[in-house]
Amino acid sequence: LTVLSGTKLTRTVPSLFLVVGAKNALDEICQNWLVTQKSISIQTIESLIGLMFGGSTSIGRRMIRAAEGDIRKLLEYMDAKEEHPLVQAAIFFLQTRSLTGSSPEATMIACLLFELVLSKYGADCRGLFAVELVWSHDKESFQKVTQSAMASGNFTPWLEYALQTSVTELERVKEKLAEVAVHYELPASFFQLNDRQKATLSILDN
């Protein structure tokens, strides 16, 4: 989250503080929002933003107060539509980023909610999927397509970009899993009990 936003987030909030806060918010998503039927509410968003920026729900409430009505409408729209999780997450990202401003913190909030949607539908590959890393390595294209979409209201180029970069990230995840995969080739004797093991089982049976 902080990589995409930039290392110098603000003059008043230390970067380390935000890194720790972002981890706390992501831990909350991992523990309580992994493949769930629960609906995302305005209170959910306030709580996660609060965790990221200090641990208080009131902080999250203050940060989205001006956009609360629009965010509620967005949540209602998300509940009513049956889109692919990546499409929903991409829409959620762009809408919340446009509603909460253009600051680095707003980008962090949008990334956090992107992860929330993916986790809710089990599309985050157990935390291995991190398309924000692709965006951070392609900041010029990322900024251009997001700013254009927010200015024009045409989300199609952004959705295409988000899905294309998601495919790139999924390919990276697949390659990474292939690298660390462990293959066991065990002889048949491995599954046979020796005399001592048989004796132990005989005692337990009695």
Side-chain angles (χ1 to χ4, degrees):
L1 302 182
T2 55
V3 171
L4 184 59
S5 301
T7 52
K8 295 182 179 179
L9 297 170
T10 65
R11 294 181 180 179
T12 57
V13 184
S15 295
L16 180 59
F17 175 82
L18 284 179
V19 170
V20 173
K23 181 185 181 302
N24 290 338
L26 288 171
D27 285 346
E28 171 67 16
I29 290 173
C30 181
Q31 292 168 13
N32 295 306
W33 286 92
L34 183 60
V35 190
T36 177
Q37 297 295 320
K38 294 186 296 185
S39 293
I40 299 170
S41 67
I42 198 75
Q43 288 76 24
T44 304
I45 295 173
E46 290 172 352
S47 177
L48 288 173
I49 295 174
L51 279 174
M52 188 158 60
F53 294 100
S56 172
T57 302
S58 61
I59 295 175
R61 188 175 299 119
R62 287 198 302 273
M63 293 189 73
I64 65 170
R65 182 177 295 159
E68 183 175 335
D70 290 327
I71 292 176
R72 287 186 185 278
K73 291 178 183 177
L74 175 59
L75 292 173
E76 291 172 0
Y77 168 82
M78 300 291 284
D79 275 342
K81 293 289 184 179
E82 294 185 0
E83 304 283 3
H84 188 282
L86 277 172
V87 174
Q88 285 206 25
I91 293 173
F92 210 37
F93 174 91
L94 193 65
Q95 283 284 57
T96 51
R97 188 167 185 259
S98 63
L99 292 172
T100 54
S102 58
S103 67
E105 290 85 353
T107 300
M108 287 184 67
I109 291 171
C111 285
L112 183 68
L113 299 181
F114 182 88
E115 294 293 334
L116 173 62
V117 174
L118 291 183
S119 183
K120 170 179 165 58
Y121 293 104
D124 68 333
C125 298
R126 294 278 180 173
L128 296 175
F129 179 82
V131 70
E132 298 93 331
L133 293 177
V134 181
W135 298 344
S136 69
H137 294 147
D138 187 28
K139 282 188 176 180
E140 185 175 348
S141 296
F142 170 79
Q143 293 289 356
K144 182 178 179 180
V145 72
T146 52
Q147 289 173 3
S148 174
M150 288 188 291
S152 66
N154 179 10
F155 282 22
T156 300
W158 159 247
L159 290 175
E160 291 175 349
Y161 175 82
L163 293 177
Q164 287 170 357
T165 50
S166 293
V167 169
T168 300
E169 173 60 6
L170 287 170
E171 289 174 347
R172 183 198 68 81
V173 171
K174 181 181 178 182
E175 292 173 359
K176 193 68 176 177
L177 289 174
E179 290 174 5
V180 301
V182 178
H183 300 283
Y184 294 101
E185 294 183 3
L186 301 173
S189 60
F190 178 84
F191 301 97
Q192 297 174 355
L193 298 178
N194 58 36
D195 291 340
R196 185 174 180 180
Q197 290 169 332
K198 291 176 181 178
T200 300
L201 288 176
S202 177
I203 293 171
L204 292 174
D205 287 339
N206 296 328

